[in-house]
Amino acid sequence: MALLELKDVRTFYGNIQALKGVSISVEEGEIVTLIGANGAGKTTTLMSICSITPIRSGEIFLDGHDISRMSPHKIVQMGVSQVPEGRRIFPQLTVSENLDMGAFLRNDKESIKQDMEEVFTIFPRLAERRNQLGGTLSGGEQQMLAISRALMASPRLLLLDEPSLGLAPLIVQNIFEVIQKINKERKTTILLVEQNANMALKIANKGYVMQNGLIKITDTATNLLKNQEVRKAYLGL
Ligand code: ATP
């Protein structure tokens, strides 16, 4: 059974239909990427999974449980965390306080402490800056903090929306390494939305190409990197 399964999901903003019947499946332990042009519906897909933008029809299953009509906080409790586009950390809170916010739905104090130490092992820069205000961190560090904060909810499935957006190439490289590390060492399943299709496909097992609210191509990441249509439209090759 897939860890995450979307079946024929349709989502609207008023009269505008952003998702026109999206079906996606993510197996436990995989990194799956969702690529496509601006406005294709990638962010809406993540927002639909989290129930922040409720779906109009279709079904979403997590480990076989229907989560399509659950509240966003219940979905976090079920093991799904999202890192939204644009990071959105709390600039007036310290690094540690930002991380505490990520764990606010949990009450297992000891494991929270352990998870914070684990996060600091993955991101040593954040450990050095744990008492610094979030707003004073660099763009790359804020992205690391946003990812760490999502990890503090102890997710089985991590949804990442454009983690490389607006960051310098070296930092982007670093972010992608960290995503792989989280997947391998924490055994966290990852659904990654990216404009940087080339980098995303290099670390993913499987990819979905979205266009106009629909899934246009589904294949292994290796095949998508070789696919002429994908190379021309999304890899600039
Ligand atoms: P981007 O990379 O620009 O974020 P995307 O693939 O994530 O693109 P979405 O943001 O999901 O695409 O947008 C899908 C469609 O829904 C677009 O046509 C967009 O204009 C529309 N849309 C998104 N958010 C809203 C909103 N809050 N209100 C109305 N329409 C919206």
Side-chain angles (χ1 to χ4, degrees), residues 131-168:
N131 296 318
Q132 204 169 309
L133 293 184
T136 67
L137 301 178
S138 71
E141 288 164 353
Q142 289 190 21
Q143 184 59 271
M144 303 289 187
L145 180 56
I147 296 173
S148 305
R149 188 180 57 191
L151 288 179
M152 290 301 294
S154 196
R156 296 173 69 189
L157 175 67
L158 186 63
L159 310 175
L160 296 169
D161 197 354
E162 307 243 6
S164 77
L165 196 72
L167 300 176

Side-chain angles (χ1 to χ4, degrees), residues 131-232:
N131 296 318
Q132 204 169 309
L133 293 184
T136 67
L137 301 178
S138 71
E141 288 164 353
Q142 289 190 21
Q143 184 59 271
M144 303 289 187
L145 180 56
I147 296 173
S148 305
R149 188 180 57 191
L151 288 179
M152 290 301 294
S154 196
R156 296 173 69 189
L157 175 67
L158 186 63
L159 310 175
L160 296 169
D161 197 354
E162 307 243 6
S164 77
L165 196 72
L167 300 176
L170 253 175
I171 314 287
V172 170
Q173 183 71 40
N174 198 234
I175 296 265
F176 279 94
E177 281 164 13
V178 158
I179 295 170
Q180 278 183 293
K181 200 166 162 185
I182 291 167
N183 174 250
K184 288 214 169 68
E185 291 176 15
R186 268 195 101 257
K187 313 239 177 294
T188 309
T189 307
I190 291 171
L191 179 57
L192 169 67
V193 162
E194 258 302 334
Q195 287 283 329
N196 193 333
N198 191 33
M199 294 279 281
L201 288 170
K202 280 189 179 140
I203 66 162
N205 304 96
K206 189 166 74 180
Y208 288 93
V209 180
M210 267 195 110
Q211 200 179 61
N212 240 324
L214 284 166
I215 301 293
K216 210 174 160 229
I217 314 172
T218 310
D219 211 335
T220 63
T222 323
N223 283 344
L224 288 175
L225 278 169
K226 289 188 273 190
N227 181 308
Q228 281 310 325
E229 196 184 342
V230 172
R231 287 169 71 86
K232 241 170 89 183

Side-chain angles (χ1 to χ4, degrees), residues 13 16-19 36-45 85 161-162 193 195 210:
Y13 297 101
I16 301 168
Q17 185 168 10
L19 301 186
N38 278 342
K42 306 181 298 296
T43 298
T44 305
T45 303
E85 190 179 325
D161 197 354
E162 307 243 6
V193 162
Q195 287 283 329
M210 267 195 110

